[in-house]
């Protein structure tokens, strides 16, 4: 690429106004989640990653919802009033105001990657063409528009609905991506007619219009996945599977061990360090990061969670927005809710729930415990069945603070707000309602009474 070409502005128009009838879903098609993010986010990320200067999204069906999702991604939305076809959709983008090169693409192609877009852009600029369609060879051309060539040169795109039996045999198809110089688009777009079986304005007709007018038109080949558009729920699930497989492959190449990648679900942004082992049925979501040499056993769900090196997460544990320190061991069946921080070498055992808890280094809560709104020091032992009573009748939440090295006997309750100093001991079965000083023993339970040689009263004779 020359410097002059590099400085040519690149604008993008994404078509996302269509109804998505075949999805049979109340949600606009492009908002359906694919491996954890809306389909259209994958398209926006791909063109952004390829250096787009400006992105215009055409919205129509489900407009308000689509705007709400995509506008925060730094795009502008343009309304297409009636869904009269892909050429009509492009008209809504105010093409007269565009400069430089323009990529037009469908919003329903989630397998597209920045490198795919970069590659076709480089080829387009090298070809010095005025207009290019991106094509792919596919096994089942089905409802795709067919690329019709004459002596190797691109002539037209023919929609499947309007194609002859002979044309339908062509396996080179329109991926729904076009690159065009802005002036060419502004000149030929208004000339497209709706003379076809669906009486729609087909953007695909711009190819034959330009070709006939003597403009330089070309087809650029891309890999088949570029053409993968989602039109049905089945295609959505296939795209989801392919994206998870892509992610797993990349992680394994980076030294992650996966017992069964087919049943392991890791979203795109997630990071996993070398030497970590991921068991089947694990789902890692969003901004989750897992360090090196960790082990995540079957059925664990981690959302937006940071896991340090050497952590062992045992089966069926559930994490949201949590931070786990080095070498901690968690689970099985642990539930760590938002704003929880587990210190290094700490242990959280089975059926333990925490929310908004700072849990100190080397502390232990081995079994059947609820800690909410609590600060637990270092080297603390939380006995089985401990509960922080953080929610009061005034419907407010209060904190429990427990100092370093304190030993909490089993089946204790802390009625917050309450503070226990360091090196204290809480007797089993205590209901702590008052602060406990450092080094104190606190016992708050009914005293045991032993009645010697006690026998139950003889029961009354039954009345007739
Ligand atoms: C389109 C192409 C076809 C290509 C295929 C690739 C046309 C006429 N056909 O067919 O050659 O092989 O994509 O996937 O372009 N849209 C609007 N407004 C409208 C109509 C559609 O914004 O009035 C949007 C849709 O939301 C969608 C995109 O345009 O994101 C493509 O529309 P769709 O109906 O899925 O076109 P295909 O039949 O798949
Ligand atoms: Ca489509």
């Amino acid at each position: 690429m020359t410097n002059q070409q590099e400085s040519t502005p690149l604008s993008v128009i994404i078509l996302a106004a269509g109804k998505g009838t075949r999805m049979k879903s109340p949600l606009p098609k492009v908002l359906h989640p694919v491996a954890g993010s809306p389909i259209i986010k994958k398209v926006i990320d791909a063109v952004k990653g390829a250096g787009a200067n400006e992105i215009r999204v055409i919205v129509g069906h489900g407009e308000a919802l689509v705007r709400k999702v995509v506008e925060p991604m730094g795009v502008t939305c343009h309304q297409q009033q009636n869904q009269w076809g892909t050429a009509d959709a492009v008209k809504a983008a105010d093409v007269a105001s565009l400069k430089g090169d323009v990529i037009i693409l469908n919003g329903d192609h989630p397998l597209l990657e920045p490198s795919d877009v970069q590659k076709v852009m480089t080829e387009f600029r090298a070809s010095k063409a005025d207009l290019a369609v991106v094509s792919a060879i596919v096994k089942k051309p089905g409802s795709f528009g067919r690329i019709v060539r004459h002596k190797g040169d691109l002539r037209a795109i023919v929609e499947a609905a309007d194609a002859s039996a002979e044309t339908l045999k062509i396996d080179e198809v329109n991926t729904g991506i076009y690159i065009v110089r802005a002036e060419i688009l502004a000149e030929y777009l208004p000339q497209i007619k709706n003379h076809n079986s669906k009486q729609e304005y087909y953007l695909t007709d711009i190819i034959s219009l330009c070709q006939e007018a003597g403009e330089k038109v070309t087809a650029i080949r891309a890999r088949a996945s570029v053409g993968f558009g989602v039109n049905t729920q089945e295609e959505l699930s296939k795209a989801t599977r392919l994206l998870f497989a892509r992610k797993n492959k990349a992680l394994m190449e980076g030294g992650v061990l996966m017992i069964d990648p087919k049943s392991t679900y890791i979203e795109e942004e997630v990071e996993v360090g070398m030497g970590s082992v991921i068991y089947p049925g694990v789902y890692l979501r969003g901004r989750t990061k897992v360090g090196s040499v960790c082990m995540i056993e079957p059925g664990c769900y981690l959302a937006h969670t940071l896991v340090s090196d050497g952590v062992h997460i045992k089966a069926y544990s559930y994490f949201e927005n949590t931070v786990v320190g080095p070498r901690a061991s968690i689970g099985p069946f642990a539930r760590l809710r938002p704003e929880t921080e587990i210190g290094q070498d700490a242990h959280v055992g089975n059926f333990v729930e925490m929310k908004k808890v700072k849990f100190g280094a080397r502390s232990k809560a081995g079994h059947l415990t609820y800690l909410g709104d609590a600060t637990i020091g270092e080297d603390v032992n939380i006995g089985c069945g401990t509960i922080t009573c953080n929610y009061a009748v005034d419907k407010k939440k209060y904190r429990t603070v427990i100092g370093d090295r304190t030993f909490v006997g089993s089946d204790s309750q802390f009625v917050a707000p309450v503070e226990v100093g360091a090196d204290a001991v809480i007797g089993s079965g205590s209901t702590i309602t008052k602060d406990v000083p450092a080094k104190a023993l606190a016992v708050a339970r009914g005293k045991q009474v032993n009645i010697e040689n006690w026998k139950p009263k003889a029961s009354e004779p039954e009345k007739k």
Side-chain angles (χ1 to χ4, degrees):
M1 242 190 265
T2 68
N3 286 337
Q4 196 259 319
Q5 281 172 324
E6 267 171 12
S7 60
T8 306
L10 176 60
S11 300
V12 175
I13 300 171
I14 300 177
L15 309 184
K19 212 165 177 197
T21 315
R22 286 169 283 174
M23 296 301 282
K24 298 191 180 153
S25 161
L27 195 65
K29 174 163 80 177
V30 294
L31 298 188
H32 281 72
V34 61
S37 45
I39 294 174
I40 194 167
K41 178 170 188 292
K42 308 296 294 185
V43 178
I44 292 173
D45 287 349
V47 294
K48 265 192 193 164
N53 302 102
E54 187 210 1
I55 301 170
R56 302 181 182 186
V57 176
I58 310 303
V59 292
H61 181 78
E63 179 182 343
L65 211 54
V66 177
R67 275 182 187 269
K68 211 170 156 188
V69 173
V70 302
E71 276 173 351
M73 298 175 190
V75 307
T76 55
C77 288
H78 299 255
Q79 189 199 46
Q80 182 194 18
Q81 290 224 326
N82 303 296
Q83 277 70 68
W84 285 341
T86 44
D88 180 66
V90 176
K91 281 182 196 159
D94 180 22
V95 294
S97 66
L98 292 167
K99 289 195 177 60
D101 296 330
V102 183
I103 299 181
I104 303 168
L105 75 174
N106 295 349
D108 58 0
H109 284 229
L111 302 185
L112 195 65
E113 295 205 322
S115 59
D116 293 316
V117 181
Q118 252 151 12
K119 226 172 134 230
V120 295
M121 268 324 290
T122 306
E123 246 184 83
F124 174 75
R125 285 174 171 169
S127 76
K128 302 235 164 12
D130 297 304
L131 166 66
V133 56
V134 178
S135 71
I137 306 287
V138 295
K139 285 201 193 87
K140 290 184 192 158
S143 63
F144 279 108
R146 303 301 199 271
I147 300 291
V148 176
R149 292 175 181 270
H150 180 71
K151 295 185 176 156
D153 287 341
L154 175 63
R155 278 291 125 93
I157 300 171
V158 178
E159 287 306 290
D162 303 302
S164 66
E166 204 53 34
T167 304
L168 284 175
K169 286 183 193 154
I170 297 172
D171 66 352
E172 185 181 15
V173 301
N174 170 20
T175 64
I177 303 176
Y178 317 82
I179 310 164
V180 57
R181 296 200 300 110
E183 315 87 80
I184 295 285
L185 179 63
E187 184 177 347
Y188 291 94
L189 187 66
Q191 299 180 30
I192 294 176
K193 304 268 181 330
N194 65 345
H195 300 156
N196 53 58
S197 63
K198 290 188 185 164
Q199 297 198 309
E200 277 187 9
Y201 296 89
Y202 288 169
L203 181 59
T204 47
D205 287 350
I206 199 172
I207 299 291
S208 47
L209 273 176
C210 284
Q211 204 276 332
E212 282 155 21
E215 308 294 354
K216 192 165 189 281
V217 177
T218 184
I220 298 172
R221 286 264 176 89
R223 53 182 182 154
S225 64
V226 170
F228 190 111
V230 169
N231 299 301
T232 62
Q233 298 291 346
E234 200 183 345
E235 283 166 354
L236 177 62
S237 77
K238 193 172 171 198
T240 300
R241 211 162 56 237
L242 289 167
L243 283 176
F244 279 134
R246 233 183 227 177
K247 178 69 181 181
N248 288 343
K249 185 166 181 280
L251 288 172
M252 288 187 283
E253 281 165 5
V256 175
L257 285 77
M258 280 189 199
I259 310 289
D260 180 16
K262 282 202 176 65
S263 65
T264 305
Y265 310 93
I266 302 181
E267 292 180 4
E268 192 179 15
E269 279 181 50
V270 173
E271 295 170 21
V272 183
M274 272 193 284
S276 285
V277 187
I278 314 285
Y279 278 77
V282 168
Y283 195 111
L284 305 181
R285 172 152 176 72
R287 300 181 306 275
T288 295
K289 285 193 174 72
V290 176
S292 306
V293 227
C294 291
M295 177 136 94
I296 306 186
E297 291 184 0
C300 291
Y301 175 88
L302 280 70
H304 319 300
T305 286
L306 304 179
V307 177
S308 305
D309 296 344
V311 169
H312 185 181
I313 298 176
K314 295 178 191 165
Y316 304 107
S317 295
Y318 192 99
F319 296 69
E320 295 161 277
N321 212 345
T322 293
V323 178
V324 182
R327 298 172 306 278
S329 111
I330 318 269
F333 301 102
R335 179 166 185 213
L336 300 184
R337 295 171 57 197
E339 296 175 54
T340 294
E341 236 177 273
I342 306 293
Q344 62 178 60
D345 299 292
H347 170 63
V348 176
N350 39 238
F351 308 108
V352 173
E353 175 180 345
M354 295 193 193
K355 187 189 178 197
K356 286 196 180 168
V357 172
K358 200 167 177 324
F359 196 73
R362 297 170 303 280
S363 288
K364 294 188 171 86
H367 343 256
L368 296 156
T369 287
Y370 171 65
L371 302 176
D373 299 287
T375 303
I376 312 292
E378 299 185 348
D379 300 290
V380 171
N381 183 81
I382 301 287
C384 175
T386 297
I387 295 171
T388 54
C389 310
N390 57 330
Y391 187 56
V393 280
D394 61 5
K395 300 194 172 169
K396 288 188 183 141
K397 300 270 178 74
Y398 294 96
R399 286 197 80 76
T400 299
V401 178
I402 297 178
D404 295 345
R405 295 170 301 280
T406 282
F407 184 96
V408 177
S410 296
D411 191 27
S412 299
Q413 298 95 52
F414 294 89
V415 181
V418 69
E419 201 167 328
V420 179
D423 301 293
V425 175
I426 307 295
S428 283
S430 292
T431 299
I432 301 297
T433 54
K434 291 184 287 195
D435 289 355
V436 178
K439 296 182 182 164
L441 164 68
V443 184
R445 64 185 179 219
K447 273 208 173 131
Q448 183 169 336
V449 180
N450 291 340
I451 300 169
E452 308 260 340
N453 297 318
W454 181 78
K455 285 197 187 72
K457 274 187 197 159
S459 55
E460 305 253 318
E462 246 180 64
K463 280 179 187 152
K464 292 229 168 111

